[in-house]
Amino acid sequence: MSSSAPSRPDRAGPPGEPAARRPAGREVSGRLPWMLVLPAVAGLVFLVLPLAGLLIRAPWPTLLERLAEPQVLEALRLSLVCASVATAVCLLLGVPLAWLLARVDFPGRRLVRALVTVPLVLPPVVGGVALLLVLGRRGLVGQWLEATFGITLPFTTAGVIIAEAFVAMPFLVISVEGALRGADQRFEEAAATLGASRWTVFRRVTLPMIMPGVVAGAVLCWARALGEFGATITFAGNFPGTTRTMPLAVYLALETEPEAAIVLSLVLLAVSVIILASLRDRWVSSP
């Protein structure tokens, strides 16, 4: 009797089908489906060509000189400050809101989640109008703020921060809620079993576990706040040094000095590319 073991097929197949009839590795190989490739290439060109045009038409010889102009530096400073403060506001309010949506089962949770994501699809100008109706001098809350505390929010730097936080917070909430839903709750249950309070569990166990999602959401939130235009110009106006952020400066420069608008657009494009590159490998890459 031969001592050699019987050979086994590399892959198991349906009963009764010989292994020799199943060509290995032919499921996704073969000629490319041009009906999919051509629209894909056209879509890529459609997205990349405007950015390439921006780079080609940029006034490279005078780029640094234009970036050093006082009005450009002023708009950049205001944009960075307002976007950073708006992101801090979103973190303060958005992380607890995401925890509530992810971990607490209450009536109307789906409706609340839908309302939280409305700014994602709402036209920013409409968001600015809504903010005016609520926080304006004659708004539902704004008239009380002015009469009681003498606080006026529209057409101020605080109004810019509020407008940016309004349109950017959903990005943070969605990211943090997804991280909370993907976290292993057994660690939280073990900490609670050992006597830790809910606040201690959140601070010492939950928050460290979801920190990559919080960071990713905060970065996306900051980028969205930095590029906000519609709600800002509607609710806060366009005043130099007070409410004129980079997107508003681009809009204004496009009417009078197109090359300056291109330079400002390049700054925002560079910030967007840097943010996407930093997020790609750490937090939002697919396996």
Side-chain angles (χ1 to χ4, degrees):
M1 179 181 295
S2 174
S3 60
S4 61
S7 61
R8 297 190 307 172
D10 293 337
R11 295 188 308 158
E17 181 181 357
R21 296 183 183 179
R22 301 192 305 272
R26 296 300 300 274
E27 287 83 355
V28 296
S29 62
R31 298 180 60 184
L32 293 176
W34 293 106
M35 294 297 293
L36 296 178
V37 173
L38 291 178
V41 173
L44 179 62
V45 172
F46 175 74
L47 294 175
V48 173
L49 190 58
L51 304 180
L54 188 64
L55 295 173
I56 293 172
R57 296 294 299 273
W60 296 107
T62 60
L63 181 64
L64 295 179
E65 180 182 349
R66 292 183 178 276
L67 286 176
E69 293 179 355
Q71 61 271 22
V72 175
L73 295 177
E74 187 177 56
L76 179 59
R77 178 195 61 80
L78 184 64
S79 295
L80 295 176
V81 171
C82 290
S84 300
V85 177
T87 302
V89 173
C90 291
L91 284 170
L92 182 63
L93 303 178
V95 172
L97 178 57
W99 178 86
L100 184 70
L101 293 175
R103 295 296 169 82
V104 180
D105 190 9
F106 58 90
R109 184 171 63 172
R110 292 185 177 180
L111 177 60
V112 172
R113 183 180 292 111
L115 293 176
V116 168
T117 57
V118 162
L120 289 175
V121 296
L122 189 70
V125 175
V126 177
V129 173
L131 289 173
L132 274 177
L133 295 177
V134 174
L135 299 176
R137 298 183 62 182
R138 297 184 179 180
L140 298 176
V141 179
Q143 59 180 350
W144 174 77
L145 289 175
E146 185 177 14
T148 307
F149 304 102
I151 297 176
T152 302
L153 294 175
F155 310 109
T156 63
T157 303
V160 176
I161 295 172
I162 291 174
E164 292 179 350
F166 175 77
V167 300
M169 189 182 295
F171 290 89
L172 176 70
V173 174
I174 291 175
S175 178
V176 176
E177 184 186 1
L180 283 166
R181 291 185 179 277
D184 193 346
Q185 296 189 40
R186 290 178 297 179
F187 297 101
E188 298 173 288
E189 294 171 356
T193 302
L194 295 174
S197 63
R198 280 206 168 188
W199 170 244
T200 303
V201 170
F202 176 79
R203 182 170 54 90
R204 301 293 297 273
V205 180
T206 306
L207 196 57
M209 284 195 302
I210 65 170
M211 188 54 65
V214 174
V215 174
V219 173
L220 292 174
C221 177
W222 185 84
R224 179 64 184 90
L226 188 69
E228 167 52 31
F229 174 81
T232 301
I233 197 172
T234 306
F235 181 65
N238 186 13
F239 300 102
T242 304
T243 65
R244 183 176 296 172
T245 57
M246 289 284 285
L248 274 65
V250 171
Y251 176 77
L252 184 64
L254 190 62
E255 299 178 348
T256 58
E257 196 175 359
E259 288 189 351
I262 295 175
V263 171
L264 294 172
S265 300
L266 283 176
V267 174
L268 294 176
L269 176 62
V271 171
S272 301
V273 171
I274 292 172
I275 288 173
L276 291 177
S278 65
L279 287 177
R280 179 179 179 272
D281 295 327
R282 293 186 180 182
W283 300 297
V284 297
S285 60
S286 58

